[in-house]
Structures are given as C-alpha cells and as structure tokens.
Amino acid sequence: MRRHLFPQLLLGCALIALDPSARAGEDAGLAFVTIPAGRFQLGIHKDLLEGAAKNMGFLREDEPYRSASVARPFLIKATEVTWAEWNRIRDRADDFGYTDLAKGRNGYHGDESGEHPVTEVSWWDAVKWCNLLSEIEGKPPVYHVSEPFDKAHALRSGTPETIAVDWAADGYRLPTEAEWEYAWWTAGRAPGHPEPDGWHLENSEANTHPVASRDSSSSKKLHDMCGNVAEWCWDWIGPVTPHGYDADPKGPANGLHRMVRGGSWADHPMCCRGTYRGNFSPKMPRGIFIGFRPVRMQAAKR
C-alpha cells in the first residue's frame, strides 16, 4: 500500500465530445465520451504544484513529469458506474456463465435512486463486469484466461494467476493509468493544481454522492474524475521513470497492487487530484472507497 496523508484511510490537448454514433453501452443506457489519440505530459511538474501540494515531497516522487502517448482514440464512460448500472448488467451474469460477480454496494450509504457509484467491487469484479457487458452487446471480450482470444477462453470467473488481454478488441475494459490521466487532462483541466472541486473528505459529509451531482470547473463531460470514489485502472503499481517517453504505457507485467486513480469521498483533497497515484489489492477486501468507469476501443485492424 502506498503512503497517504491520513494513514487510517484505505486510499488515499484535444477536443472531446459525446459520441452517440459509437453506440457504446447503448443496451445498458451508458453515456461515453470520445478521447482522441495524442501525446501528453504524464504527471505534474513540481513548478506547477499549487497550495498544500507544493510542500508535499512525496507527490513529486510519485507523480513524475514525463512524456507519454495514447496511440488510438478511445471511449470513456462519462460517469463512474452506478449501483443501478452495475445491477442491470450483473442481472444477466447467469445467462453468460459469470458465476462469482460481487453483489457490490450502493455507494457508501446511497439513496433509492441507485445513482451513487457502485462500491465494494474488486478489480477482478470490475474486469469481469466489463467482459459481461461486452458479451451482452455482442462485442469481443477483452480479458481471457489464455489465448486464443475467443469466447471459449473469456474470463468469466475466478482470479487466475495471469490473464491474456486482447488490446485490439473493441469490447469494454478498464482504462490504463495513462489513458485515465490523459482523459482527465483532455477534459479541459488547466495546468496547475487548484483545490480539487470533487467530493472529498472535507465536503462529502462522510458519504458518496450521486454521480455528476457536483459541478466541475475542469470538465462538463467527464464527471467525478476526482473524488466520489477512486477508480480501478488496469496497471500494476510499479516504479515510474521520471524522464523520457512512454508510448502507450500499460504498467509492469506483474505486481501486488493495482492502480486506482482520482481519490474518494474519504480522502484528503490532495489525494483527489488527477495526477495522484493510489493503489489497492485487486482481490480483498472490497473497499467502500473504490469503483470504476470502463473504456472501449474501436476495433484495430488485425
């Protein structure tokens, strides 16, 4: 587990547009935003840190400033997956052979609307839910227990030692850490780090909130990127090179913890910034601080 400002917590450019033509998540009623390919600066330069963050040395160590790229356009969900959305897809699990998807939780203390982000879902729950959504919509699953990349080998249950990822598939998956941060930057975030305007420890009243319920000064299309719940990413946590260039980085080949981004309702504001890097066990416990939002690629030519 990485360092946090409060040890008692479990966590601590181009145009974007809604893309109805992509039909992403159409059957489930999900809204996605198109993010174009491009090159960007991953992390934050120490001279751009502002306020309390400027005096916190570990932020400079863990958020190195370096060039990176995202090679292909992708679609990212406009909001975190809600409790209602989780259940609409999970209700089809038996139809497709998914036997161990977690029940999840309605935020922390969510209301009857079901619009709080789903919590108490592990990294494994999130990737299997993405596969299930792909199969419901007739798209090729991204995650497999082994090659070849066909439906017979799709990951539907368990937590195998390794999984095979079909990066060319146009099914749903978790974003890489670089894709998540790139989407955050392209959402219109200005250089520098003003005080976060999402739901965090100092304004959340110790609870999650319905998605897209707090106006953001940085984006009108991507909601709750910082705060409400932290979000699972694909990558294992690992050392980051502070200089150089990363082309479509996908993180280390293995590890103990998976990356989470964005901070949560229970985190200090300094952990609810777009470049803050958290991590958590992909298995247990299933936290009340973590949810996810999926991405989808256009199918690549094989």
Side-chain angles (χ1 to χ4, degrees), residues 24-248:
E26 183 181 68
D27 294 344
L30 311 184
F32 280 64
V33 170
T34 301
I35 305 296
R39 185 165 176 163
F40 70 113
Q41 295 302 125
L42 187 64
I44 184 72
H45 193 282
K46 63 181 181 179
D47 293 341
L48 295 177
L49 289 169
E50 298 177 355
K54 195 172 184 67
N55 299 317
M56 296 177 182
F58 77 86
L59 298 180
R60 293 194 295 274
E61 297 171 11
D62 290 347
E63 301 174 21
Y65 190 64
R66 67 200 189 283
S67 295
S69 66
V70 172
R72 294 168 53 200
F74 64 96
L75 304 167
I76 186 168
K77 193 173 182 298
T79 68
E80 294 156 339
V81 172
T82 68
W83 169 243
E85 291 166 343
W86 172 266
N87 283 302
R88 282 205 299 271
I89 302 308
R90 186 179 180 273
D91 286 348
R92 300 288 307 280
D94 289 344
D95 298 341
F96 291 86
Y98 290 77
T99 60
D100 59 0
L101 275 178
K103 291 183 178 179
R105 178 170 174 158
N106 187 9
Y108 182 35
H109 295 300
D111 57 34
E112 293 180 358
S113 71
E115 292 304 305
H116 284 237
V118 66
T119 60
E120 292 191 356
V121 290
S122 71
W123 183 90
W124 286 102
D125 295 322
V127 299
K128 285 181 279 190
W129 187 93
C130 288
N131 262 12
L132 174 56
L133 177 57
S134 296
E135 295 205 75
I136 289 171
E137 294 194 359
K139 295 180 174 63
V142 172
Y143 303 108
H144 297 76
V145 293
S146 65
E147 294 190 44
F149 295 135
D150 56 30
K151 288 188 176 182
H153 292 87
L155 173 64
R156 297 187 179 95
S157 63
T159 57
E161 286 287 322
T162 60
I163 60 176
V165 183
D166 185 359
W167 293 105
D170 65 339
Y172 297 93
R173 60 175 175 80
L174 294 180
T176 65
E177 185 183 11
E179 288 170 339
W180 190 98
E181 188 171 324
Y182 179 57
W184 177 79
W185 280 116
T186 58
R189 191 67 175 178
H193 280 234
E195 291 298 311
D197 55 9
W199 297 113
H200 52 69
L201 180 68
E202 295 179 0
N203 65 14
S204 68
E205 299 181 343
N207 198 9
T208 52
H209 290 262
V211 299
S213 62
R214 185 173 176 85
D215 289 338
S216 169
S217 62
S218 61
S219 175
K220 303 304 180 186
K221 295 186 176 72
L222 292 178
H223 304 280
D224 299 308
M225 290 290 281
C226 296
N228 214 6
V229 292
E231 300 175 15
W232 286 117
C233 293
W234 158 259
D235 311 46
W236 292 107
I237 180 68
V240 177
T241 304
H243 304 290
Y245 169 67
D246 289 329
D248 243 355

Side-chain angles (χ1 to χ4, degrees), residues 243-264:
H243 304 290
Y245 169 67
D246 289 329
D248 243 355
K250 295 179 174 64
N254 51 59
L256 295 176
H257 292 114
R258 295 282 185 174
M259 297 302 305
V260 293
R261 286 300 204 111
S264 80

